[in-house]
Amino acid sequence: MAFWRKKNENSKVDHPTMIEASLHEIRQAVGKFAEKKRDGISLKVLVKDNNELDASLLVSHLGGIPSKPYYMSRETFELFEEQHRHIPFWIDTVQRAVDSYIHSEKEAPVIEGDPFRKISFFKLEKKALLTERPPLDFYYTEQEGMVSHRKPEK
């Protein structure tokens, strides 16, 4: 039986090299991964439970594993460097709450009259869709139906 055999001492495990990769290079690698992935496979496979990017799946596009971690939103696929690692968690939380709110109320939970379409955390809390207020503001983009932490320009 194969699992009882001793490992060949000459066999070598191939570990990818550590590389320096910029956020731009990571974005490009994710884009190439998206182009080449098979139908039915979501980009969500790239995101670990803690929103860290699983760079091992991008080795063929990057030429190695980035020396520093990157983080990605499962809902919007936006990428972040380590100093902003908390943002993808909040994007995902707020996006799911907004989607649920829209499904039940047939309108976006934005603050009435706000020209930037700022998300109303109060409306989401009132429907028990948010249990904790995010530490940053979010805005609703009408075109994509997505939330963003970036304030739109008017």
Side-chain angles (χ1 to χ4, degrees):
M1 298 201 154
F3 59 88
W4 280 332
R5 290 188 192 145
K6 286 185 180 180
K7 286 187 177 179
N8 182 352
E9 290 179 20
N10 294 333
S11 68
K12 192 172 145 185
V13 177
D14 202 19
H15 293 290
T17 11
M18 295 297 272
I19 60 164
E20 293 298 317
S22 69
L23 185 59
H24 177 71
E25 291 168 322
I26 297 293
R27 281 189 185 119
Q28 287 179 325
V30 169
K32 287 177 188 170
F33 179 89
E35 289 172 8
K36 294 184 179 191
K37 71 178 178 57
R38 285 184 268 153
D39 288 341
I41 295 178
S42 171
L43 282 180
K44 291 179 183 183
V45 301
L46 292 175
V47 186
K48 296 179 184 177
D49 289 341
N50 66 349
N51 287 92
E52 186 177 347
L53 183 69
D54 186 353
S56 67
L57 298 173
L58 299 174
V59 169
S60 63
H61 304 291
L62 288 169
I65 298 278
S67 60
K68 58 185 179 181
Y70 289 89
Y71 296 83
M72 186 169 162
S73 162
R74 281 186 181 86
E75 301 295 325
T76 65
F77 304 118
E78 192 171 356
L79 288 158
F80 297 89
E81 293 180 321
E82 187 159 22
Q83 69 267 27
H84 300 294
R85 68 182 171 269
H86 66 285
I87 296 176
F89 167 80
W90 287 112
I91 287 175
D92 292 348
T93 301
V94 173
Q95 183 68 57
R96 284 189 295 269
V98 166
D99 290 346
S100 294
Y101 186 92
I102 290 171
H103 182 73
S104 68
E105 300 300 311
K106 310 295 185 233
E107 67 177 13
V110 295
I111 296 172
E112 304 292 329
D114 188 293
F116 301 107
R117 302 193 45 82
K118 186 175 174 182
I119 300 292
S120 169
F121 297 144
F122 175 74
K123 288 181 179 182
L124 296 174
E125 289 167 335
K126 205 165 111 178
K127 294 285 182 188
L129 297 171
L130 268 185
T131 55
E132 184 181 349
R133 281 204 179 204
L136 59 157
D137 293 331
F138 285 94
Y139 304 89
Y140 184 73
T141 61
E142 194 71 50
Q143 301 86 353
E144 300 101 19
M146 304 296 268
V147 299
S148 175
H149 67 289
R150 291 185 177 90
K151 188 174 186 176
E153 294 178 14
K154 283 277 177 176

